[in-house]
Amino acid sequence: MDRLLLPMSAVSGDVVAPGSKSFAQRALLAAALAGGESTLGGFSPCGDCSAVTELLRGAGCELSFMGADLYVDSTCFKCFGNQICTGESALLTRLVGTLVALGDGQTTISGEGSLLRRDMSELIEMLRLLGCEVVSHFGRLPLTICGPIIPGVYKIDGSRSSQIISALLMTLPLCSSDSKILVENLVSKPYVEITLRLLAEFGIDVESVYSGYIIRGGQSYHPTNYQIEGDWSSAAPFLAMGAIGGEITVSNLNQNSPQADRFIVEVLLQAGATLQWRGDCCCVRSPESGVLSAFECDLTDCPDLFPVVAVLASRTVGISTLKGTSRLANKESDRVRSIARLLETLGAKVDCSRENIMLIEAGSESGDIIVDTYSDHRIAMAAAVATIKNTRHIIINDGECVRKSYPDFWSDYSSVVRP
């Protein structure tokens, strides 16, 4: 469904950040493996999390809400089955793709939407390295996986995605003997830190060493009460809106979070915005002059920030330098292309000719704007940021793709924008 966004002169108000789906998906799987009763506080439903909950219900788990908490009873958890669907979640595909390989049975994993276009060769290569048989559709879903995983010492290239490392950290403790992962060129290390912290909460011990991780086999997950952090990825568009035109407060944020997208704070400060903390509330105001400065930042560890930061850069004076474009190819869209198209539609000047770098400069505006989201939730949210202090109407195609991570995004957006 297309969505028409009107020009907005300012933004003001309060938004509560939803629970992080990165934490939630990991926690749901850990609760299922714990074989008992766990409570996940701060859980926020979204498309990716729904894919996990449906998977768990199909595997014998009972799930129910108690206020804002999700209760998971995995006492009757059996297995994930031999035919499963991971929705549009690449993270779930990689985590479950490794977990189902613990046994010697055969499992076929299918997906939906943009996930069907995403390259799964890294997961396939890793599973084969661990002794599994994998059949794929030209490196994409569906995947048919036959284990078992053979524990041992493995060298993993972490340059393309940290999700493979997280998948191994969640799976190898359940093997019968010890393993060691030697990691080279790890990107998005903060996401691995999220996994390590969660594993500790559920009773799994992983030893971090200089070269990687030592994982003792024969461990088991324990039921626990786990609190899910607010999501910095979802907070970023609103914080950027506050920096561009007005003042906004986003609550339910951990100032010391391991989430990589907390880096948005550093970017906003460098651009000249004013930022204050009050407990778990982050308040951002635009500069008194109303002028944001160009900035330089490296988004290699936080590629999900790229669309929002790129729109922010298009509102600054000067040329901004964004590093990390090498991490944008295998997302919900080809984000180098989709971000560049978005910015050019907004009238900005974009240069992607240098390796791993995008240069962005404000440009002239003319006519209404039609934004192709490519069904990418991050592009849709970034386009919403562009309405602040804009003079033109913006038409976003498939604006409802935000349901993948933030179903209430448009409701929260409407509550804080001012014409």
Side-chain angles (χ1 to χ4, degrees), residues 100-122:
V100 298
L102 283 167
D104 58 5
Q106 180 174 290
T107 301
T108 298
I109 301 177
S110 61
E112 299 172 347
S114 61
L115 185 63
L116 298 175
R117 301 190 297 269
R118 298 179 71 168
D119 182 13
M120 289 292 154
S121 59
E122 187 182 14

PDB file of all heavy atoms in Angstrom, residues 100-122:
ATOM      1  N   VAL A 100      18.930 -26.866  13.820  1.00  0.00           N
ATOM      2  CA  VAL A 100      18.317 -28.098  13.299  1.00  0.00           C
ATOM      3  C   VAL A 100      19.382 -29.106  12.871  1.00  0.00           C
ATOM      4  O   VAL A 100      19.102 -30.304  12.747  1.00  0.00           O
ATOM      5  CB  VAL A 100      17.374 -27.807  12.112  1.00  0.00           C
ATOM      6  CG1 VAL A 100      16.222 -26.924  12.551  1.00  0.00           C
ATOM      7  CG2 VAL A 100      18.118 -27.208  10.923  1.00  0.00           C
ATOM      8  N   ALA A 101      20.610 -28.629  12.661  1.00  0.00           N
ATOM      9  CA  ALA A 101      21.689 -29.515  12.227  1.00  0.00           C
ATOM     10  C   ALA A 101      22.330 -30.268  13.386  1.00  0.00           C
ATOM     11  O   ALA A 101      23.256 -31.050  13.181  1.00  0.00           O
ATOM     12  CB  ALA A 101      22.754 -28.717  11.480  1.00  0.00           C
ATOM     13  N   LEU A 102      21.843 -30.062  14.606  1.00  0.00           N
ATOM     14  CA  LEU A 102      22.374 -30.812  15.747  1.00  0.00           C
ATOM     15  C   LEU A 102      22.083 -32.304  15.609  1.00  0.00           C
ATOM     16  O   LEU A 102      22.878 -33.146  16.021  1.00  0.00           O
ATOM     17  CB  LEU A 102      21.776 -30.279  17.052  1.00  0.00           C
ATOM     18  CG  LEU A 102      22.357 -28.967  17.582  1.00  0.00           C
ATOM     19  CD1 LEU A 102      21.471 -28.392  18.672  1.00  0.00           C
ATOM     20  CD2 LEU A 102      23.775 -29.176  18.094  1.00  0.00           C
ATOM     21  N   GLY A 103      20.923 -32.645  15.052  1.00  0.00           N
ATOM     22  CA  GLY A 103      20.554 -34.041  14.891  1.00  0.00           C
ATOM     23  C   GLY A 103      20.914 -34.569  13.519  1.00  0.00           C
ATOM     24  O   GLY A 103      21.455 -33.838  12.662  1.00  0.00           O
ATOM     25  N   ASP A 104      20.612 -35.834  13.278  1.00  0.00           N
ATOM     26  CA  ASP A 104      20.955 -36.454  11.998  1.00  0.00           C
ATOM     27  C   ASP A 104      19.767 -36.539  11.052  1.00  0.00           C
ATOM     28  O   ASP A 104      19.820 -37.211  10.024  1.00  0.00           O
ATOM     29  CB  ASP A 104      21.562 -37.843  12.210  1.00  0.00           C
ATOM     30  CG  ASP A 104      20.632 -38.775  12.981  1.00  0.00           C
ATOM     31  OD1 ASP A 104      19.478 -38.366  13.274  1.00  0.00           O
ATOM     32  OD2 ASP A 104      21.055 -39.897  13.302  1.00  0.00           O
ATOM     33  N   GLY A 105      18.693 -35.825  11.402  1.00  0.00           N
ATOM     34  CA  GLY A 105      17.528 -35.799  10.522  1.00  0.00           C
ATOM     35  C   GLY A 105      17.670 -34.776   9.420  1.00  0.00           C
ATOM     36  O   GLY A 105      18.677 -34.069   9.312  1.00  0.00           O
ATOM     37  N   GLN A 106      16.654 -34.686   8.581  1.00  0.00           N
ATOM     38  CA  GLN A 106      16.649 -33.757   7.454  1.00  0.00           C
ATOM     39  C   GLN A 106      15.578 -32.698   7.654  1.00  0.00           C
ATOM     40  O   GLN A 106      14.443 -33.004   7.992  1.00  0.00           O
ATOM     41  CB  GLN A 106      16.390 -34.517   6.155  1.00  0.00           C
ATOM     42  CG  GLN A 106      16.371 -33.642   4.908  1.00  0.00           C
ATOM     43  CD  GLN A 106      16.258 -34.472   3.645  1.00  0.00           C
ATOM     44  OE1 GLN A 106      17.181 -35.176   3.262  1.00  0.00           O
ATOM     45  NE2 GLN A 106      15.093 -34.404   2.999  1.00  0.00           N
ATOM     46  N   THR A 107      15.960 -31.433   7.474  1.00  0.00           N
ATOM     47  CA  THR A 107      15.031 -30.317   7.639  1.00  0.00           C
ATOM     48  C   THR A 107      15.112 -29.399   6.431  1.00  0.00           C
ATOM     49  O   THR A 107      16.211 -29.058   5.968  1.00  0.00           O
ATOM     50  CB  THR A 107      15.369 -29.503   8.905  1.00  0.00           C
ATOM     51  OG1 THR A 107      15.310 -30.350  10.052  1.00  0.00           O
ATOM     52  CG2 THR A 107      14.395 -28.342   9.073  1.00  0.00           C
ATOM     53  N   THR A 108      13.959 -28.978   5.933  1.00  0.00           N
ATOM     54  CA  THR A 108      13.905 -28.008   4.835  1.00  0.00           C
ATOM     55  C   THR A 108      13.395 -26.679   5.382  1.00  0.00           C
ATOM     56  O   THR A 108      12.343 -26.620   6.024  1.00  0.00           O
ATOM     57  CB  THR A 108      12.993 -28.489   3.701  1.00  0.00           C
ATOM     58  OG1 THR A 108      13.527 -29.697   3.159  1.00  0.00           O
ATOM     59  CG2 THR A 108      12.904 -27.443   2.599  1.00  0.00           C
ATOM     60  N   ILE A 109      14.162 -25.626   5.146  1.00  0.00           N
ATOM     61  CA  ILE A 109      13.817 -24.280   5.604  1.00  0.00           C
ATOM     62  C   ILE A 109      13.391 -23.447   4.408  1.00  0.00           C
ATOM     63  O   ILE A 109      14.145 -23.298   3.440  1.00  0.00           O
ATOM     64  CB  ILE A 109      15.003 -23.605   6.307  1.00  0.00           C
ATOM     65  CG1 ILE A 109      15.456 -24.439   7.512  1.00  0.00           C
ATOM     66  CG2 ILE A 109      14.636 -22.191   6.751  1.00  0.00           C
ATOM     67  CD1 ILE A 109      16.682 -23.868   8.215  1.00  0.00           C
ATOM     68  N   SER A 110      12.188 -22.893   4.489  1.00  0.00           N
ATOM     69  CA  SER A 110      11.692 -21.980   3.464  1.00  0.00           C
ATOM     70  C   SER A 110      11.503 -20.599   4.078  1.00  0.00           C
ATOM     71  O   SER A 110      11.599 -20.422   5.285  1.00  0.00           O
ATOM     72  CB  SER A 110      10.378 -22.490   2.878  1.00  0.00           C
ATOM     73  OG  SER A 110       9.380 -22.571   3.896  1.00  0.00           O
ATOM     74  N   GLY A 111      11.230 -19.613   3.226  1.00  0.00           N
ATOM     75  CA  GLY A 111      11.040 -18.254   3.715  1.00  0.00           C
ATOM     76  C   GLY A 111      10.011 -17.521   2.893  1.00  0.00           C
ATOM     77  O   GLY A 111       9.327 -18.119   2.048  1.00  0.00           O
ATOM     78  N   GLU A 112       9.918 -16.212   3.117  1.00  0.00           N
ATOM     79  CA  GLU A 112       8.923 -15.397   2.439  1.00  0.00           C
ATOM     80  C   GLU A 112       9.541 -14.071   2.000  1.00  0.00           C
ATOM     81  O   GLU A 112      10.577 -13.648   2.519  1.00  0.00           O
ATOM     82  CB  GLU A 112       7.741 -15.107   3.380  1.00  0.00           C
ATOM     83  CG  GLU A 112       7.007 -16.350   3.858  1.00  0.00           C
ATOM     84  CD  GLU A 112       5.977 -16.031   4.930  1.00  0.00           C
ATOM     85  OE1 GLU A 112       6.006 -14.889   5.466  1.00  0.00           O
ATOM     86  OE2 GLU A 112       5.157 -16.904   5.239  1.00  0.00           O
ATOM     87  N   GLY A 113       8.879 -13.421   1.061  1.00  0.00           N
ATOM     88  CA  GLY A 113       9.226 -12.054   0.678  1.00  0.00           C
ATOM     89  C   GLY A 113      10.671 -11.857   0.292  1.00  0.00           C
ATOM     90  O   GLY A 113      11.261 -12.652  -0.456  1.00  0.00           O
ATOM     91  N   SER A 114      11.257 -10.779   0.833  1.00  0.00           N
ATOM     92  CA  SER A 114      12.617 -10.395   0.466  1.00  0.00           C
ATOM     93  C   SER A 114      13.652 -11.436   0.856  1.00  0.00           C
ATOM     94  O   SER A 114      14.734 -11.500   0.264  1.00  0.00           O
ATOM     95  CB  SER A 114      12.978  -9.052   1.117  1.00  0.00           C
ATOM     96  OG  SER A 114      12.933  -9.145   2.533  1.00  0.00           O
ATOM     97  N   LEU A 115      13.336 -12.286   1.849  1.00  0.00           N
ATOM     98  CA  LEU A 115      14.300 -13.297   2.275  1.00  0.00           C
ATOM     99  C   LEU A 115      14.621 -14.283   1.157  1.00  0.00           C
ATOM    100  O   LEU A 115      15.734 -14.809   1.084  1.00  0.00           O
ATOM    101  CB  LEU A 115      13.767 -14.048   3.497  1.00  0.00           C
ATOM    102  CG  LEU A 115      14.725 -15.061   4.137  1.00  0.00           C
ATOM    103  CD1 LEU A 115      15.973 -14.373   4.675  1.00  0.00           C
ATOM    104  CD2 LEU A 115      14.030 -15.833   5.258  1.00  0.00           C
ATOM    105  N   LEU A 116      13.676 -14.511   0.266  1.00  0.00           N
ATOM    106  CA  LEU A 116      13.887 -15.458  -0.818  1.00  0.00           C
ATOM    107  C   LEU A 116      14.954 -14.968  -1.798  1.00  0.00           C
ATOM    108  O   LEU A 116      15.521 -15.768  -2.558  1.00  0.00           O
ATOM    109  CB  LEU A 116      12.576 -15.713  -1.564  1.00  0.00           C
ATOM    110  CG  LEU A 116      11.451 -16.345  -0.728  1.00  0.00           C
ATOM    111  CD1 LEU A 116      10.173 -16.440  -1.554  1.00  0.00           C
ATOM    112  CD2 LEU A 116      11.869 -17.712  -0.216  1.00  0.00           C
ATOM    113  N   ARG A 117      15.229 -13.654  -1.793  1.00  0.00           N
ATOM    114  CA  ARG A 117      16.233 -13.094  -2.699  1.00  0.00           C
ATOM    115  C   ARG A 117      17.616 -13.007  -2.053  1.00  0.00           C
ATOM    116  O   ARG A 117      18.589 -12.684  -2.735  1.00  0.00           O
ATOM    117  CB  ARG A 117      15.808 -11.687  -3.143  1.00  0.00           C
ATOM    118  CG  ARG A 117      14.468 -11.640  -3.867  1.00  0.00           C
ATOM    119  CD  ARG A 117      14.232 -10.275  -4.484  1.00  0.00           C
ATOM    120  NE  ARG A 117      14.158  -9.213  -3.491  1.00  0.00           N
ATOM    121  CZ  ARG A 117      13.040  -8.806  -2.907  1.00  0.00           C
ATOM    122  NH1 ARG A 117      11.888  -9.408  -3.200  1.00  0.00           N
ATOM    123  NH2 ARG A 117      13.050  -7.826  -2.022  1.00  0.00           N
ATOM    124  N   ARG A 118      17.705 -13.284  -0.772  1.00  0.00           N
ATOM    125  CA  ARG A 118      18.964 -13.056  -0.064  1.00  0.00           C
ATOM    126  C   ARG A 118      19.903 -14.254  -0.155  1.00  0.00           C
ATOM    127  O   ARG A 118      19.482 -15.416  -0.071  1.00  0.00           O
ATOM    128  CB  ARG A 118      18.685 -12.681   1.393  1.00  0.00           C
ATOM    129  CG  ARG A 118      17.904 -11.384   1.491  1.00  0.00           C
ATOM    130  CD  ARG A 118      17.592 -10.976   2.899  1.00  0.00           C
ATOM    131  NE  ARG A 118      18.777 -10.537   3.620  1.00  0.00           N
ATOM    132  CZ  ARG A 118      18.728  -9.914   4.798  1.00  0.00           C
ATOM    133  NH1 ARG A 118      17.564  -9.679   5.368  1.00  0.00           N
ATOM    134  NH2 ARG A 118      19.827  -9.543   5.403  1.00  0.00           N
ATOM    135  N   ASP A 119      21.164 -13.939  -0.298  1.00  0.00           N
ATOM    136  CA  ASP A 119      22.198 -14.960  -0.456  1.00  0.00           C
ATOM    137  C   ASP A 119      22.449 -15.665   0.875  1.00  0.00           C
ATOM    138  O   ASP A 119      22.730 -15.021   1.881  1.00  0.00           O
ATOM    139  CB  ASP A 119      23.480 -14.277  -0.944  1.00  0.00           C
ATOM    140  CG  ASP A 119      24.610 -15.248  -1.202  1.00  0.00           C
ATOM    141  OD1 ASP A 119      24.348 -16.467  -1.245  1.00  0.00           O
ATOM    142  OD2 ASP A 119      25.758 -14.791  -1.342  1.00  0.00           O
ATOM    143  N   MET A 120      22.343 -16.977   0.876  1.00  0.00           N
ATOM    144  CA  MET A 120      22.584 -17.777   2.071  1.00  0.00           C
ATOM    145  C   MET A 120      23.863 -18.617   1.958  1.00  0.00           C
ATOM    146  O   MET A 120      24.050 -19.573   2.699  1.00  0.00           O
ATOM    147  CB  MET A 120      21.388 -18.706   2.321  1.00  0.00           C
ATOM    148  CG  MET A 120      20.140 -17.974   2.782  1.00  0.00           C
ATOM    149  SD  MET A 120      20.364 -17.288   4.431  1.00  0.00           S
ATOM    150  CE  MET A 120      19.202 -15.912   4.367  1.00  0.00           C
ATOM    151  N   SER A 121      24.737 -18.236   1.035  1.00  0.00           N
ATOM    152  CA  SER A 121      25.932 -19.038   0.788  1.00  0.00           C
ATOM    153  C   SER A 121      26.833 -19.118   2.013  1.00  0.00           C
ATOM    154  O   SER A 121      27.484 -20.149   2.243  1.00  0.00           O
ATOM    155  CB  SER A 121      26.717 -18.488  -0.405  1.00  0.00           C
ATOM    156  OG  SER A 121      27.104 -17.146  -0.192  1.00  0.00           O
ATOM    157  N   GLU A 122      26.865 -18.061   2.821  1.00  0.00           N
ATOM    158  CA  GLU A 122      27.713 -18.092   4.008  1.00  0.00           C
ATOM    159  C   GLU A 122      27.232 -19.160   4.996  1.00  0.00           C
ATOM    160  O   GLU A 122      28.029 -19.910   5.572  1.00  0.00           O
ATOM    161  CB  GLU A 122      27.725 -16.721   4.684  1.00  0.00           C
ATOM    162  CG  GLU A 122      28.716 -16.621   5.840  1.00  0.00           C
ATOM    163  CD  GLU A 122      28.666 -15.266   6.514  1.00  0.00           C
ATOM    164  OE1 GLU A 122      27.716 -14.500   6.273  1.00  0.00           O
ATOM    165  OE2 GLU A 122      29.573 -14.976   7.302  1.00  0.00           O
TER     166      GLU A 122
END
